[in-house]
Amino acid sequence: SLKSYENSQNSSDTNLNKRTKSIYTPLELQFIEMKKKYKDAVLCVECGYKYRFFGEDAEIAAKELNIYCHLDHNFMTASIPSHRLFVHVRRLVAKGHKVGVIKQMETAALKAAGENKSSLFSRKLTALYTKSTLIGEDILLLLHVNPLLKLDDSVDVEGVTADVPDNYLLCICENGDNLKGRKKGDIVTGIMAIQPTTGEVIFDSFRDCASRSELESRVLRLQPVEIILPSRLSDQSEKLIHSITSM
């Protein structure tokens, strides 16, 4: 796969692709800058009436969405029609990918009437989706893509949301300092679970033993689709979370 944006990270002051010795297009340079900010996301870049993927993102999209991928200038590229964006975003997220939507901040009509009509469209990230934040939001995403579309125009809202399971985003933190009567492995754990589709929030703080039985019971009951962990986590908790997520 082509990793042109990686080759350019240390040479942002030049438009030359060091690997191929060819010139980056303005759109490719714009993508390079956006990819530096969101390295762990598959980026969908709005280009007129379609969304394009570039580089490794294009190869991932081609594999997961079964679409055509080809070389264009310095990058592999693939595209999807704008009105199918929410369908493909859901598929990518279901496969475990974080997906970023990059939208044009100008319309073609306004740009043509302005002084900078020959320049590149300005673009920025407008949405970043993961498993815990997408479900239930795709209708809003669809309307954002096409604001002229009404909910009763060939979109069955109940059909889209009826099979939506609980999609808790769970955050875990720990503190073992100054714990009275502490035994080896004991810890105080705090959790907060949020369900974006309903706004439900669950929080708790509890003392747990080395086996982490209390933490295990809560994680298994909530069945979160995504877990946020602190940079420092006890070995016992890390082993438990790993065993649960690997299942």
Side-chain angles (χ1 to χ4, degrees):
S1 65
L2 295 180
K3 300 181 180 179
S4 300
Y5 60 89
E6 292 182 357
N7 295 332
S8 68
Q9 287 182 357
N10 297 324
S11 58
S12 58
D13 58 335
T14 179
N15 295 351
L16 184 66
N17 183 333
K18 288 185 175 181
R19 189 185 63 81
T20 63
K21 304 301 182 182
S22 60
I23 302 297
Y24 287 114
T25 67
L27 178 59
E28 288 175 340
L29 289 172
Q30 192 178 58
F31 167 75
I32 289 170
E33 291 303 315
M34 291 185 293
K35 193 63 180 179
K36 288 179 183 178
K37 297 179 182 178
Y38 310 105
K39 296 179 181 178
D40 60 341
V42 175
L43 298 182
C44 311
V45 183
E46 185 180 19
C47 299
Y49 295 102
K50 61 185 177 182
Y51 280 83
R52 294 181 64 185
F53 303 89
F54 297 91
E56 282 192 343
D57 294 351
E59 296 183 31
I60 291 172
K63 177 183 177 182
E64 305 291 14
L65 306 176
N66 194 27
I67 59 178
Y68 179 63
C69 179
H70 66 281
L71 181 63
D72 183 20
H73 293 92
N74 293 287
F75 288 101
M76 297 298 289
T77 185
S79 63
I80 55 174
S82 294
H83 69 278
R84 297 285 293 173
L85 174 64
F86 83 103
V87 174
H88 294 304
V89 168
R90 287 191 68 177
R91 288 175 179 171
L92 288 170
V93 170
K95 295 289 186 177
H97 301 286
K98 181 187 292 186
V99 181
V101 177
I102 307 288
K103 287 190 65 66
Q104 292 178 180
M105 295 294 101
E106 306 166 282
T107 64
L110 289 176
K111 193 170 184 62
E115 297 179 355
N116 61 340
K117 57 184 177 182
S118 60
S119 63
L120 185 68
F121 280 95
S122 62
R123 295 179 174 87
K124 74 175 184 178
L125 183 84
T126 59
L128 192 62
Y129 293 99
T130 60
K131 280 191 175 182
S132 66
T133 59
L134 175 68
I135 305 301
E137 296 291 324
D138 43 12
I139 289 297
L140 296 179
L141 176 59
L142 175 60
L143 293 176
H144 185 59
V145 172
N146 186 1
L148 298 179
L149 182 67
K150 298 179 181 179
L151 289 180
D152 57 356
D153 290 345
S154 71
V155 178
D156 184 359
V157 181
E158 293 184 359
V160 173
T161 59
D163 61 344
V164 173
D166 292 339
N167 59 312
Y168 286 106
L169 170 63
L170 178 64
C171 180
I172 300 174
C173 63
E174 294 181 333
N175 188 355
D177 299 336
N178 303 320
L179 188 61
K180 294 182 179 180
R182 178 183 179 182
K183 297 180 181 179
K184 184 178 181 181
D186 284 5
I187 203 82
V188 172
T189 302
I191 65 169
M192 177 171 286
I194 301 173
Q195 189 169 180
T197 53
T198 63
E200 181 183 5
V201 177
I202 299 173
F203 57 92
D204 194 6
S205 177
F206 50 90
R207 181 168 177 166
D208 211 348
C209 60
S211 65
R212 298 295 186 267
S213 57
E214 293 293 329
L215 177 61
E216 181 181 19
S217 65
R218 286 160 175 79
V219 174
L220 291 177
R221 181 172 63 86
L222 291 170
Q223 291 290 309
V225 296
E226 196 169 350
I227 301 177
I228 299 177
L229 300 176
S231 56
R232 295 180 59 187
L233 191 68
S234 63
D235 293 340
Q236 296 92 332
S237 297
E238 189 171 350
K239 289 179 181 178
L240 172 66
I241 297 297
H242 178 73
S243 65
I244 293 175
T245 54
S246 64
M247 294 168 59

